[in-house]
Every structure is written in structure tokens, then in C-alpha cells.
Amino acid sequence: MPDTIFVLNGPNLNLLGTREPEIYGAETLDDIAGQLEDRARELDLAIDMRQSNHEGHLVDWLHEAQASGARAVLLNAGAFTHTSIALHDAIKGIKTPVIEVHLSNPHKRESFRHTSLVGQAAKGTVAGFGALSYLLALEAASRI
């Protein structure tokens, strides 16, 4: 059985493809999931893709990733990236490596997006490459 990579997505990512496509691209979260699943098979990995608009779900899923023995977590926490001490603490509280993922480059956007509480706890960050950010993060997860 292949190792599992959790791919956790936060608020408003269910709107990908229609929400500000000039920033986030035209691909939907389902499109990205399909790309990840295809590449994961090539890497002998499995993807467990989830999305929630609720911070507590993301915290619970981080805990679940560790409890289930997941190899790594790719986390696009959306706006919670900049505000969630709870996600920061959950990442610090588990041994499973977490890779922060962003479609856009937060440092090229509004100043409130320049601080990442998630990134301060994560193993690394991939940002600014649209949907490719997820695939690059998956490549990293396959090597750690």
C-alpha cells in the first residue's frame, strides 16, 4: 500500500476556477486533485484531498494525518495562513512534515499577507506557481 499524502485546503478554495482567476487561475480544486492523483500514482503515493472553510476541521485533519501515519501534509490554509495560531500550534504539535502551499505569491500581494503563521511552523513553502505549486510540493513530500 502506498504512503499517503494529505492535501488540506482552507477557506474559499472550493471557489477555485471562479474566484479571482486573474490571481488564482482557472483550474478548480477538482482539477488540481486530478493532477495530484496522477502524479502521486507515478511516485507510488496516495492522495487524501480535503477542503473546509472551518479552521477546526483543518486542525483535526492535521492530527489525523499524524495518527494515520501519513507521509506528509500539503497545506493551503488560505486566509488562515495569516491569522491562525491554532494551525501554527497544530503543525508544531505533530511530527508529520507539513509543506505550506500557495497558488499566488503572498509577498507580491497586500502587506497583511506577508506574514505566515503556517509557514513559521511548516517544513517548507511552495508559492506563486498556480496549480503547479501543489505538484512541486508533492515532489518535495515524496523526497522527505
Side-chain angles (χ1 to χ4, degrees):
M1 174 169 251
D3 287 344
T4 299
I5 307 292
F6 276 48
V7 182
L8 306 181
N9 298 279
N12 299 309
L13 289 162
N14 55 305
L15 300 177
L16 283 181
T18 60
R19 177 185 173 225
E20 297 179 278
E22 66 281 2
I23 295 173
Y24 300 111
E27 293 172 289
T28 67
L29 201 56
D30 285 341
D31 294 335
I32 293 169
Q35 293 170 25
L36 285 170
E37 288 167 2
D38 290 345
R39 183 64 183 131
R41 272 192 297 280
E42 295 169 0
L43 295 168
D44 195 30
L45 296 168
I47 296 296
D48 187 336
M49 182 96 159
R50 303 174 186 193
Q51 187 275 328
S52 179
N53 292 320
H54 304 282
E55 183 179 34
H57 291 163
L58 296 169
V59 170
D60 289 343
W61 294 338
L62 286 164
H63 297 174
E64 183 184 338
Q66 176 169 284
S68 71
R71 182 172 187 156
V73 175
L74 310 185
L75 174 60
N76 184 343
F80 291 142
T81 297
H82 318 290
T83 63
S84 181
I85 295 167
L87 286 175
H88 174 276
D89 289 352
I91 294 165
K92 297 284 277 186
I94 63 174
K95 295 200 183 326
T96 307
V98 175
I99 300 171
E100 178 185 34
V101 178
H102 295 287
L103 295 159
S104 68
N105 179 349
H107 298 288
K108 293 181 93 174
R109 299 187 60 202
E110 304 93 339
S111 61
F112 68 85
R113 296 185 195 276
H114 296 178
T115 299
S116 172
L117 299 179
V118 166
Q120 291 172 21
K123 174 125 180 108
T125 300
V126 180
F129 299 100
L132 179 60
S133 292
Y134 283 88
L135 292 168
L136 294 170
L138 179 61
E139 290 291 332
S142 75
R143 298 172 190 224
I144 57 176

